[in-house]
Amino acid sequence: MNQWLDDRLHISRLNDKFLRKAFPVHHSFFLGEITLFSLIILILTGILLALSYEPSNSMVVNSFDPGTADAPNLVPAAYHSALKINAAPFGDMLRRIHHWTANIMVAASVIHMMRIYFTGAFKKPREINWWIGMLLLIFAALTAVTGYVLPYDNYAYNTLKVIYSIAASIPWVGEWVAQAAFAGKFPGDGVIPRVYGYHIMLLPGILLALTAAHMLIMIKQKHTQPQYAKRIAYKKIVGVPLMTQQTPIMLMLTLLFAGIIVLFSAFIPVHPVEYFGPPSTTPIDNIKPDWYLLWVFGVLAIIPGFEFNFLGGNINSEFVGAILLPTLTLGAMFAVPMLDRSRENLYYAENPTNHPVRLGIGVAFMMLLAVWSVAGYKPELISAGILTTENANTVLWIATFLVPALSYFFVQAVVRGIRALRESDARDRANFQAADD
Amino acid sequence: MTRYKRQDPEITRRKFINVAMGTTAAVGGVSLLSTLGAANPVFRLTADKMPPLEGDILVHAEESKEGRPITVADLSTQLVRAWAMGKDEDGNDVIRKGDPNNILALYRFPQGQLVAPTNLEATVDGQIVAYSDICTHAGCSVSDSDINAGQMRCPCHSGEYDPKRGAIVTGGPPPKPLAQLPIRQDGDRLVVAGFFLTPPYPYHNSEAEWNNVKQEVEEALT
């Protein structure tokens, strides 16, 4: 049979080109794989959920609590189908697995990017893959946000409202953009079908295409080699082939990972639609986005209110906080490979302590996002008595500048310490050697 | 390569195909763009989507008593959410909740507590005041603050307003105070006395936009 297939599909060529691809042996290289497995789990559970989900915000009688003939209890069809999914055998579990995998996918990709950044793996020739990776991160977040909206409970409704108004805050074209994106004035009759289209067709399509490009480029360019490869065989590719060594490792990782997610999902409930209830004008206390968008939320919470007119366009704090600032932040991340001026191709992952400035800036950047995320908890900080309404913004703004600066210098100090230790080690070794001679 | 470029008097096949493909791509691209126009559906101003109008009575918005007229006794220094209820073209009662931005916040304070910049003439006896309950920042519904007693707080990005002083912004990112709605008392009912005094959300960006809406509503009514 192998011969028969080979005659038609030239599997031996595939084998040489792809299945023999060498994978470096280091645990930090699994982060990208975890992201990939998450995407696969998300697509599988997403298909199952889509089979039972009704993408419509028209009102239907709630079959769980029909009310009376005179006053039927009407809820949006999407919300009703979410209730039905929860009531179905394994239905709630399916939603939980989908939710947790989505969170872990973003987490794994963020840590994956940290690995790439701190070891310099974004350098020539891998700039393009850094940019594709950035797009993957952005589109993954967008997919997650649109997925949030689909159960169309009160939480989703309020989230959607904020997303709509953020889109509408773009000067000049905002109102048109928001209406075109969400099928008319909020909440349009077609808003759920529209967001559903984004979440199950458009965005996953983009994610899959970008993932394919990401991996093809990675196969073409090969992994950056870990430091040990330099010692074993300089300028040679060191690693285990995909078939048959890396595959069992991958399978084990998948099973372990899937097991952890199922364990998570079994014990930690997510987004209880019954608790939030159907869309209403009763606001939800302390509504918050998921952790990876908390920094944008935090910026909005501490930015002072302002608006001014610029050439007929309205620039307000919402646009600056929710669109301009995140664009600048993501722009800085996009620019990372361009700040590197090396002409040589990078073969080996770099030791972060050999590049203290890059390391320091990276840590400072993460601390900045951490401070902004903490700012997202402003109401909690105030009600816990840590801050007061009067000083909260001032304190958080000072922290915005101070904490990243301090962490930069802290990193420099630690790196110096590590270097001093390394140098004294080298001195000792040299002395011993001299004594031996 | 020859030094002389051959001058072909006729159009080459390659050129013809290139031009044809280019034209097809351009026409196709433009026609795809036209579907973008359809992405934004037409907005029809129906009675349930109009902002609160003069003569509308105020009814409870809370789910358990939705549609029941609000009496003075229902009100206190705690926020009460309300819809305006008016008539549609056929004269039937219609709650104007087709646009969720029409939600209102009602308060009753002891005499003398409501102060400028609240428009006292638009209140009932300087005691009962009505505001748009939509935060002027990102359009969430505003609640009584759980942190500062007597203040209003938006749960979305911590915008704070003072309901006794014309709902001015006392904290957070909102750019403008909540819009005040003029009301009067008619028997034991509360009745809307006119349009919002300042542009409410989502028209807070420009006065002109809000004026257009008011004009549109008046045209639709006549």
Side-chain angles (χ1 to χ4, degrees):
Chain A
M1 196 188 78
N2 282 350
Q3 190 57 45
W4 188 89
L5 276 174
D6 204 26
D7 285 347
R8 279 144 193 91
L9 301 174
H10 304 290
I11 296 205
S12 49
R13 212 177 137 254
L14 180 81
N15 187 52
D16 298 342
K17 256 209 137 55
F18 294 108
L19 300 183
R20 302 290 301 165
K21 174 175 168 45
F23 279 76
V25 184
H26 189 276
H27 45 266
S28 72
F29 283 84
F30 286 128
L31 289 162
E33 286 179 23
I34 290 177
T35 318
L36 178 69
F37 301 149
S38 307
L39 185 63
I40 295 167
I41 298 179
L42 280 171
I43 289 172
L44 293 178
T45 50
I47 290 172
L48 292 176
L49 285 169
L51 293 178
S52 306
Y53 175 76
E54 190 178 348
S56 156
N57 49 328
S58 25
M59 302 300 265
V60 297
V61 176
N62 183 351
S63 58
F64 297 97
D65 177 18
T68 58
D70 297 334
N73 184 14
L74 296 174
V75 293
Y79 175 73
H80 190 217
S81 68
L83 292 181
K84 282 206 262 188
I85 289 174
N86 271 6
F90 207 65
D92 191 21
M93 188 71 182
L94 206 56
R95 280 189 52 230
R96 292 182 189 190
I97 294 176
H98 198 70
H99 179 108
W100 279 120
T101 314
N103 268 285
I104 287 172
M105 177 171 151
V106 181
S109 49
V110 167
I111 305 175
H112 174 63
M113 285 187 96
M114 277 158 61
R115 207 279 293 166
I116 303 291
Y117 175 82
F118 288 122
T119 61
F122 56 84
K123 288 185 178 176
K124 189 188 171 190
R126 297 185 181 78
E127 300 99 323
I128 303 172
N129 245 9
W130 172 267
W131 292 325
I132 293 180
M134 279 298 300
L135 290 177
L136 273 166
L137 189 71
I138 293 167
F139 280 105
L142 285 178
T143 317
V145 168
T146 51
Y148 241 70
V149 173
L150 291 183
Y152 211 52
D153 56 354
N154 202 15
Y155 195 96
Y157 178 80
N158 279 288
T159 309
L160 184 60
K161 195 157 195 194
V162 175
I163 301 171
Y164 181 95
S165 80
I166 286 173
S169 72
I170 304 171
W172 301 288
V173 292
E175 196 56 39
W176 190 88
V177 167
Q179 289 187 25
F182 298 106
K185 285 194 180 177
F186 181 84
D189 296 332
V191 64
I192 286 293
R194 180 82 39 109
V195 175
Y196 181 68
Y198 296 153
H199 185 73
I200 73 151
M201 291 293 293
L202 181 65
L203 294 171
I206 292 173
L207 281 183
L208 281 175
L210 287 173
T211 306
H214 200 63
M215 284 165 57
L216 280 175
I217 292 177
M218 184 267 291
I219 289 170
K220 172 110 181 71
Q221 295 181 332
K222 317 280 183 284
H223 282 88
T224 36
Q225 291 291 305
Q227 281 291 325
Y228 69 78
K230 205 178 199 168
R231 293 192 297 272
I232 296 173
Y234 184 62
K235 290 253 166 159
K236 291 251 167 45
I237 289 187
V238 177
V240 296
L242 175 62
M243 273 308 253
T244 53
Q245 275 86 329
Q246 180 75 2
T247 312
I249 303 178
M250 278 180 159
L251 275 175
M252 259 165 60
L253 185 66
T254 317
L255 291 176
L256 187 70
F257 172 65
I260 289 172
I261 286 181
V262 172
L263 209 64
F264 254 63
S265 312
F267 292 106
I268 314 176
V270 296
H271 200 79
V273 286
E274 293 88 350
Y275 170 76
F276 291 116
S280 81
T281 51
T282 320
I284 293 172
D285 265 349
N286 304 325
I287 180 169
K288 270 190 194 38
D290 269 340
W291 59 271
Y292 43 85
L293 289 175
L294 199 56
W295 58 283
V296 182
F297 182 85
V299 169
L300 279 178
I302 59 173
I303 201 165
F306 64 84
E307 62 180 339
F308 59 88
N309 203 295
F310 178 71
L311 299 177
N314 192 285
I315 316 258
N316 55 24
S317 50
E318 203 181 341
F319 170 70
V320 173
I323 294 185
L324 205 60
L325 218 100
T327 308
L328 290 176
T329 310
L330 293 172
M333 287 170 76
F334 264 103
V336 161
M338 286 186 271
L339 301 177
D340 176 67
R341 280 186 293 274
S342 57
R343 300 254 178 96
E344 300 283 299
N345 280 354
L346 178 94
Y347 281 103
Y348 295 102
E350 295 166 338
N351 184 342
T353 50
N354 290 343
H355 301 264
V357 175
R358 182 177 75 205
L359 180 68
I361 291 176
V363 172
F365 182 78
M366 291 190 318
M367 290 314 287
L368 176 68
L369 295 190
V371 169
W372 283 344
S373 299
V374 169
Y377 282 96
K378 186 173 120 180
E380 283 84 353
L381 290 173
I382 292 173
S383 51
I386 298 169
L387 298 172
T388 65
T389 317
E390 289 72 34
N391 71 16
N393 282 12
T394 322
V395 170
L396 289 167
W397 272 115
I398 292 173
T400 297
F401 293 98
L402 202 60
V403 172
L406 286 180
S407 45
Y408 178 83
F409 292 113
F410 178 73
V411 168
Q412 302 308 314
V414 171
V415 168
R416 266 186 210 175
I418 292 173
R419 281 188 167 177
L421 283 175
R422 221 187 276 153
E423 275 159 20
S424 75
D425 274 358
R427 253 198 320 275
D428 285 354
R429 224 174 292 132
N431 288 343
F432 275 122
Q433 245 159 17
D436 285 346
D437 287 342
Chain B
M1 292 294 278
T2 54
R3 282 172 59 201
Y4 303 102
K5 206 174 174 192
R6 199 172 129 241
Q7 292 290 324
D8 201 335
E10 287 178 54
I11 186 166
T12 59
R13 278 181 291 181
R14 178 182 295 256
K15 202 170 187 182
F16 176 78
I17 290 172
N18 281 346
V19 169
M21 287 208 304
T23 315
T24 316
V27 172
V30 171
S31 52
L32 262 179
L33 268 183
S34 71
T35 58
L36 258 187
N40 184 355
V42 181
F43 176 72
R44 205 164 276 120
L45 187 68
T46 48
D48 67 320
K49 287 183 180 141
M50 288 178 182
L53 301 178
E54 189 170 355
D56 288 356
I57 59 171
L58 297 181
V59 297
H60 281 284
E62 196 192 320
E63 214 169 311
S64 55
K65 357 179 211 187
E66 188 177 287
R68 231 184 285 163
I70 291 176
T71 61
V72 176
D74 293 338
L75 299 174
S76 67
T77 55
Q78 297 290 304
L79 187 154
V80 172
R81 283 198 183 79
W83 294 116
M85 187 169 78
K87 304 277 182 205
D88 63 7
E89 305 89 72
D90 309 323
N92 299 321
D93 282 342
V94 58
I95 298 178
R96 303 197 199 279
K97 60 173 187 173
D99 184 347
N101 292 326
N102 286 345
I103 189 78
L104 301 169
L106 295 186
Y107 283 100
R108 185 171 68 150
F109 295 109
Q111 190 75 43
Q113 283 201 7
L114 266 177
V115 291
T118 318
N119 186 331
L120 291 174
E121 283 172 24
T123 62
V124 174
D125 305 331
Q127 292 184 6
I128 302 175
V129 64
Y131 298 109
S132 158
D133 193 34
I134 297 295
C135 180
T136 54
H137 175 236
C140 293
S141 199
V142 187
S143 301
D144 279 323
S145 173
D146 49 349
I147 299 170
N148 294 327
Q151 303 281 302
M152 299 170 83
R153 193 173 75 84
C154 175
C156 289
H157 305 111
S158 304
E160 286 192 9
Y161 303 92
D162 186 349
K164 294 195 199 86
R165 289 186 288 156
I168 57 161
V169 181
T170 53
K176 282 186 180 165
L178 299 174
Q180 193 188 340
L181 181 76
I183 49 170
R184 58 186 160 81
Q185 197 170 354
D186 182 17
D188 58 348
R189 292 178 167 192
L190 295 171
V191 178
V192 179
F195 285 113
F196 283 111
L197 298 175
T198 50
Y201 188 89
Y203 308 105
H204 64 296
N205 284 340
S206 75
E207 200 94 10
E209 226 179 306
W210 171 237
N211 287 332
N212 285 344
V213 172
K214 286 198 279 189
Q215 210 178 339
E216 213 179 313
V217 169
E218 271 156 7
E219 277 164 18
L221 289 177
T222 49

